[in-house]
Amino acid sequence: MPDTYRKLIATTLTPHFREAAELVEASVPEPGPGQLLVRNRYAGVNATDVNITAGRYAADPTLPFDLGAEAVGVVEAVGPDVKGFSPGDAVATGGLGGGYREFQLVNVRHAVPVPEASPEVLSIFVSGLTASIALNEVARMGEGETVLVTAAAGGTGQFAVQLAHLAGNHVIGTCGNDEKADLLRRLGCDRPVNYRAEDVASVLKREYRKGVDLVYESVGRGLFDAALGALAQRGRMLCIGYVSEYVDGVEAVERPRIYTQLLGRSASIHGFFLPHFREQYQAHTLKLMGLVREGKLDVAIDERLFEGVESIVDAVEYLHSGQSKGKVVVKL
């Protein structure tokens, strides 16, 4: 066991991740009552990392603070009176500040046992959970519906496409190039739409005259507007993010209030933030892992290799460049 470890902290509040992040060294702590000491093996990179550095998840953020969120790792030591965990166990964690570091202390209530500390398990734990819980528990996805997924080839979009397909729905997925469109077809997407080659709103209006029953939306701006305009009667939109506005800030718009587009169709919009649904984590994690074991669910990991805490800034910028395909992970 080393005496020290490396982690990434934010030293200033800004959505520009490179400006905020600083690599520091700290002493490896000992777990207290009800705690686990976990050696992180892989950390997940998320579009919302820039929201964390901007301080948007705290009412009055105090600098400096730790960065990263989800990780998978191995238990190195357990605190007094801890039951159910032993050194060597693989666990997944999702607390703010716990991801971009080589070691972390975790409350046993926030550690989820997993079969192995792998990139695939990491991808399932947050990105997969977001799709599964949002679609099934919040939007009440049915069978025989038309489902639109934006950023469909991304970390969480890939799961939304597959889960909607497995439920017996017609799936539309937006993406930014033909290579991603090919991936979407392999994952069960019926109508990939390369938004750089086709206008999404025009495609929806021309090919889906009855509208879209369910939207899994994470981009914002023009894609949000196109999806909203395409909602069918009793259509539901899940807003899980708005990545197009994370770095430059939220765009102010002047237009008729949104209820004018909802009331006439009995349509609805649901915001979704995964940490509000912790009680659902274990059941949905087990379900997703079961689908993977049965060969019914693929986990797409981006092929670009990022290794070491020092590579995290590059990984975050790579994700925001729009080049990634599948889940972006960092090996620690």
Side-chain angles (χ1 to χ4, degrees):
M1 177 87 69
D3 294 326
T4 63
Y5 72 98
R6 299 177 302 163
K7 66 177 181 177
L8 213 59
I9 64 171
T11 58
T12 186
L13 296 178
T14 173
H16 300 284
F17 195 86
R18 187 175 293 274
E19 296 177 16
E22 180 179 329
L23 182 61
V24 299
E25 195 167 286
S27 298
V28 174
E30 292 187 6
Q35 291 183 322
L36 308 174
L37 176 65
V38 177
R39 183 192 294 261
N40 288 342
R41 296 298 190 191
Y42 294 93
V45 180
N46 293 291
T48 199
D49 284 329
V50 299
N51 286 327
I52 297 173
T53 58
R56 293 169 182 156
Y57 290 156
D60 187 19
T62 301
L63 292 166
F65 55 80
D66 297 335
L67 293 173
E70 84 251 35
V72 290
V74 176
V75 175
E76 289 287 331
V78 300
D81 302 324
V82 168
K83 297 179 180 179
F85 292 93
S86 301
D89 288 349
V91 294
T93 61
L96 291 179
Y100 292 161
R101 57 200 299 152
E102 293 167 333
F103 285 86
Q104 63 166 319
L105 285 178
V106 183
N107 188 296
V108 291
R109 293 177 299 152
H110 299 149
V112 177
V114 293
E116 59 181 358
S118 68
E120 291 74 20
V121 169
L122 172 66
S123 183
I124 286 172
F125 182 63
V126 170
S127 297
L129 283 182
T130 297
S132 184
I133 297 173
L135 288 171
N136 293 292
E137 305 294 343
V138 179
R140 302 294 180 185
M141 179 174 64
E143 181 182 358
E145 296 189 301
T146 298
V147 180
L148 168 64
V149 181
T150 63
T156 187
Q158 61 165 312
F159 290 106
V161 166
Q162 294 181 82
L163 293 174
H165 172 73
L166 287 171
N169 296 305
H170 178 93
V171 186
I172 312 159
T174 71
C175 61
N177 59 49
D178 291 339
E179 185 181 4
K180 293 182 180 182
D182 289 340
L183 169 65
L184 292 181
R185 291 187 186 94
R186 293 197 298 273
L187 295 179
C189 182
D190 299 285
R191 178 55 163 102
V193 182
N194 178 351
Y195 62 80
R196 290 193 170 96
E198 299 182 271
D199 179 71
V200 176
S202 297
V203 169
L204 295 175
K205 183 176 181 180
R206 181 177 65 251
E207 299 183 21
Y208 300 93
R209 297 185 181 277
K210 293 183 179 180
V212 175
D213 300 300
L214 176 57
V215 179
Y216 187 83
E217 215 292 288
S218 61
V219 178
R221 292 190 176 173
L223 278 177
F224 177 92
D225 294 340
L228 178 64
L231 279 179
Q233 188 177 100
R234 297 189 183 182
R236 298 98 67 207
M237 179 186 287
L238 285 163
C239 180
I240 68 151
Y242 46 95
V243 64
S244 64
E245 299 183 276
Y246 287 170
V247 175
D248 295 331
V250 176
E251 179 185 15
V253 295
E254 291 187 11
R255 64 185 62 182
R257 296 190 189 279
I258 201 166
Y259 45 66
T260 63
Q261 295 180 266
L262 298 176
L263 286 175
R265 287 174 280 174
S266 296
S268 57
I269 299 176
H270 303 265
F272 181 84
F273 186 51
L274 182 62
H276 294 162
F277 295 84
R278 288 187 182 276
E279 71 279 6
Q280 305 279 1
Y281 283 11
Q282 189 163 10
H284 281 263
T285 298
L286 292 173
K287 181 189 75 173
L288 292 169
M289 288 182 177
L291 291 172
V292 171
R293 285 195 300 271
E294 294 168 12
K296 296 179 180 179
L297 187 68
D298 290 330
V299 182
I301 305 297
D302 189 87
E303 62 185 16
R304 175 94 175 254
L305 175 64
F306 295 96
E307 191 164 3
V309 180
E310 65 276 10
S311 74
I312 291 170
V313 171
D314 290 337
V316 172
E317 291 184 345
Y318 172 69
L319 185 149
H320 276 274
S321 74
Q323 301 175 63
S324 62
K325 186 177 66 175
K327 181 69 176 178
V328 178
V329 302
V330 176
K331 183 179 181 180
L332 299 171

